[in-house]
Amino acid sequence: MTAESFEGESRSPGLVDGGHPATQPSSAPAASRDELVAIQNVAARLRAAYPQADAATVEATVGTAYGSFRQARVRAFLPILVERRARTVLGAAARAAVGEARTFQPPPAAGSGP
């Protein structure tokens, strides 16, 4: 492709027949088998890294992170981007859970004390 043809191309897909974006055909690239296997491996690594988190929570977090990149045109780095985003969310949830556990003070038992 020449530089002249690139300059003339639209970088974002236009609306078909001037319609609403939600009614337009999806331009999201289909996920390859290798990509799906890589995302499953990400979920397995995160389940191991965050054993305190429910497996369904880890799966949902990975699914949400993966879904946020559904329109990505360059798919080569998708697994690492998904893993970083999911680790950020899971790490924040883990830190919040530890913080709540540290701030909880059970009431003193009746009749004990000075």
Side-chain angles (χ1 to χ4, degrees), residues 52-90:
Q52 72 281 9
D54 182 43
T57 301
V58 173
E59 295 286 335
T61 303
V62 170
T64 300
Y66 182 55
S68 70
F69 294 107
R70 70 183 170 276
Q71 295 291 329
R73 291 183 183 178
V74 178
R75 313 238 4 132
F77 300 106
L78 223 59
I80 189 67
L81 295 172
V82 168
E83 185 167 354
R84 286 180 180 178
R85 185 166 290 179
R87 277 188 187 275
T88 300
V89 171
L90 292 169

